[in-house]
Amino acid sequence: MTISQRIFSILKEKKLKQKDLAVRTGISESAISDWKKKGTNPAAENISAIADFLGVSTDYLLTGKEKSPSLSDDEQELLTYYKKLPEPENQRLIGRAAAMVEMYEEQCRQKKLISVTTNIKIYDVAAGAGVSTLFVNDNKYTIRAFPQTDVPSNADCGIYINGDSMEPKYPNGCLVWVKETQDISFGDVVIAVLNGEPFCKIYQPDGLASINPKYSTIHVYEYDSFYVFGKVLGYYVE
């Protein structure tokens, strides 16, 4: 099969039109028609553009075959051993390699099954990072298991945050890990409850600040009901 024949075969297979080939490559329609009528091939400088339009490699367009990838030294060494063995031993080598791969894959599956987890309570009510819901002492929670490496060792619970006022550091909808404590300092990210509403904010002398600059600081006054539920230790995105 010539290059031009291969081009028309691919056009037909992919239901592409000669007119589209001409538009995309800048080759005249008459020249493309001549390939078919006269059995000529496209000029060498057009091969790359034609291959791109057809979605094939230049190797395939020129030869009808994809160029074999070069082997690494290790792959070449294995192939050398394979070629030195007689046919029955070749099959045994292949069988042994297949068994080794199967054993390795099973080991990987077992590692995933026995991965260490941490059970931790996750509150049903989300804290506001822009939007809040009432938070009371008897809020319900669910005990859930997470990979131990994803949960700080001193975290007591997890709370979802709702809103974008703590972005980009704490994405909207993420789960923040919290240590339930009132031992905090200015600049700490906390879960604070103001007039019954939980907020994920930065604890500052003048109130509760956001990371997102489009949100103003929430000021806390003497007549407000206010307490800090805990300190944020990190976050987790599911």
Side-chain angles (χ1 to χ4, degrees):
M1 183 181 288
T2 64
I3 297 173
S4 58
Q5 288 173 335
R6 192 169 295 113
I7 290 171
F8 292 118
S9 176
I10 298 171
L11 285 171
K12 183 178 179 180
E13 179 186 340
K14 297 192 174 186
K15 297 180 180 179
L16 299 171
K17 298 179 180 179
Q18 291 181 204
K19 181 178 180 180
D20 295 328
L21 174 61
V23 172
R24 288 286 297 276
T25 60
I27 303 170
S28 68
E29 290 186 59
S30 60
I32 295 174
S33 296
D34 283 343
W35 301 343
K36 182 179 290 187
K37 293 176 183 177
K38 301 178 181 179
T40 56
N41 288 320
E45 62 266 22
N46 293 326
I47 293 296
S48 179
I50 295 171
D52 288 342
F53 172 75
L54 296 177
V56 298
S57 68
T58 54
D59 288 312
Y60 182 79
L61 192 60
L62 292 170
T63 67
K65 298 179 181 180
E66 293 291 356
K67 185 178 181 180
S68 299
S70 57
L71 298 178
S72 67
D73 291 342
D74 288 342
E75 290 169 334
Q76 187 61 55
E77 185 177 4
L78 285 173
L79 183 58
T80 301
Y81 292 146
Y82 177 84
K83 290 180 177 180
K84 287 182 177 180
L85 293 171
E87 179 61 27
E89 297 301 322
N90 284 342
Q91 297 307 312
R92 290 180 62 182
L93 179 60
I94 293 173
R96 183 173 296 181
M100 291 177 65
V101 170
E102 186 175 346
M103 184 183 299
Y104 172 74
E105 291 176 342
E106 179 61 25
Q107 289 175 346
C108 291
R109 284 193 291 269
Q110 290 301 323
K111 285 181 180 179
K112 289 181 180 179
L113 289 175
I114 63 174
S115 60
V116 181
T117 60
T118 295
N119 293 325
I120 191 167
K121 60 184 178 183
I122 305 298
Y123 280 96
D124 295 347
V125 174
V131 182
S132 285
T133 308
L134 288 179
F135 189 88
V136 293
N137 290 333
D138 61 351
N139 275 115
K140 294 181 180 179
Y141 59 82
T142 303
I143 301 296
R144 290 178 53 189
F146 292 86
Q148 189 178 67
T149 53
D150 291 329
V151 183
S153 59
N154 54 342
D156 296 310
C157 65
I159 299 177
Y160 288 99
I161 63 171
N162 183 18
D164 63 353
S165 71
M166 294 298 283
E167 290 188 346
K169 186 172 183 179
Y170 298 94
N172 180 18
C174 75
L175 186 64
V176 293
W177 303 121
V178 181
K179 178 177 177 58
E180 297 179 29
T181 179
Q182 284 75 52
D183 182 16
I184 58 171
S185 304
F186 293 131
D188 288 340
V189 176
V190 301
I191 299 296
V193 182
L194 176 62
N195 297 324
E197 295 184 30
F199 291 92
C200 179
K201 297 290 181 182
I202 304 170
Y203 183 63
Q204 298 284 28
D206 59 342
L208 302 174
S210 302
I211 294 176
N212 190 333
K214 75 178 184 180
Y215 289 89
S216 301
T217 297
I218 299 175
H219 298 288
V220 181
Y221 302 99
E222 291 183 0
Y223 54 79
D224 286 321
S225 170
F226 176 80
Y227 69 94
V228 172
F229 176 81
K231 180 178 178 179
V232 173
L233 306 176
Y235 76 93
Y236 179 82
V237 177
E238 297 181 284

